[in-house]
Amino acid sequence: MVARRGRRSARGSDEGIPSPPGYSAIPVKFSGKQQASHYLYVREHRVREGTKSSWPQKRTLFVLNVPPYCTEECLSRLLSPCGPVCSVELQEKPDLAESPKEPQSKFFQPKPVPGFQVAYVVFQKPGGVSAALALKGPLLVSTESHPVKSGVHKWISDYRDSVLDPEALRAEVDTFMEAYDKKVAEEEAKAQEEEGVPDEEGWVKVTRRGRRPVLPRTEAASLRVLERERRKRARKELLNFYAWQHRETKMEQQERGRQADQDGTGAQQHSPRTSCGPCSAPALERSTKMLASAPPIR
């Protein structure tokens, strides 16, 4: 009776492990002193048919709920009994692009966000994934042979790792610049070959290469361009001032002429007349005397 109850309790504890559909739960403890277990949820990494993936099929294990104290080295050590591990990569969230990635640099990469992460574990053989799915725990992250730093010791270790080695940084920068220069030279050579060459349909590809040389982007060249623009703007303002001055002068002349015309017309209207047409004053007097001496008409 007691044995049956023990079997039922053990079976209930195995079945009571919470896990999402399609995942297997692996209990993990930080050390042997810890009583509660943390669970890793694992499944085989799969993609749809015809989709390219940066992870090899049937040899990649996808892990959820990886705690912050579990590093790539720790995860590789915990899963090494299942088979030889080729690589382990921790990410903040699952990789949905499913495209090949460029190799990351340990100097030039974003700072990882502290918290729970996901992991992609690549085994050397497909049997490693099957063995990991059937793995039972609990697994210990920190042991006497492989202690994991925590608290102040971990903070000190992280601070020391943040100090970069100048020689290693210089070597990586030189390697990157050599690869970049080589890539740029290949692109320029390809563009030069394709310049002016029509394709099968007769179209000519337009490239960035032009006949006119590009203005060098230096401080002296920028100052010359600014000085040229300033002179052009000042000359334009001066021409506008001259045009305004000519316009004002013409308007003043027209106003003076109009005023002169008005003054002349008013003088002609108000001045007395000094003559009576073709007859002068003596001729008018003689005509009057002749009319007076003439006999009356009967």
Side-chain angles (χ1 to χ4, degrees), residues 105-122:
S105 170
K106 64 178 181 179
F107 298 105
F108 305 98
Q109 62 180 355
K111 186 177 180 181
V113 180
F116 291 87
Q117 298 176 324
V118 299
Y120 292 89
V121 183
V122 180

Side-chain angles (χ1 to χ4, degrees), residues 9-66:
S9 61
R11 187 181 304 174
S13 62
D14 294 340
E15 294 177 355
I17 297 176
S19 60
Y23 287 84
S24 300
I26 302 177
V28 175
K29 291 183 179 182
F30 179 78
S31 62
K33 299 179 181 180
Q34 186 178 1
Q35 296 182 359
S37 298
H38 179 82
Y39 293 95
L40 301 178
Y41 303 111
V42 297
R43 68 172 177 86
E44 182 182 353
H45 176 67
R46 297 177 181 177
V47 295
R48 290 176 293 183
E49 296 182 0
T51 305
K52 295 182 179 179
S53 176
S54 56
W55 315 106
Q57 299 295 322
K58 298 182 180 181
R59 294 193 299 112
T60 304
L61 184 70
F62 178 64
V63 187
L64 282 178
N65 204 26
V66 180

Side-chain angles (χ1 to χ4, degrees), residues 88-100:
V88 178
E89 182 173 347
L90 293 174
Q91 296 184 2
E92 183 181 358
K93 54 185 179 180
D95 185 11
L96 302 178
E98 303 295 348
S99 59

Side-chain angles (χ1 to χ4, degrees), residues 242-254 256:
Y242 287 154
W244 173 82
Q245 191 177 19
H246 291 322
R247 185 168 57 253
E248 290 293 327
T249 304
K250 289 183 180 179
M251 292 177 64
E252 291 178 359
Q253 292 177 356
Q254 292 178 1
R256 286 199 297 268

Side-chain angles (χ1 to χ4, degrees), residues 263-285:
D263 294 344
T265 303
Q268 291 179 3
Q269 290 179 356
H270 296 287
S271 62
R273 298 184 64 182
T274 56
S275 61
C276 296
C279 297
S280 60
L284 181 61
E285 187 177 355

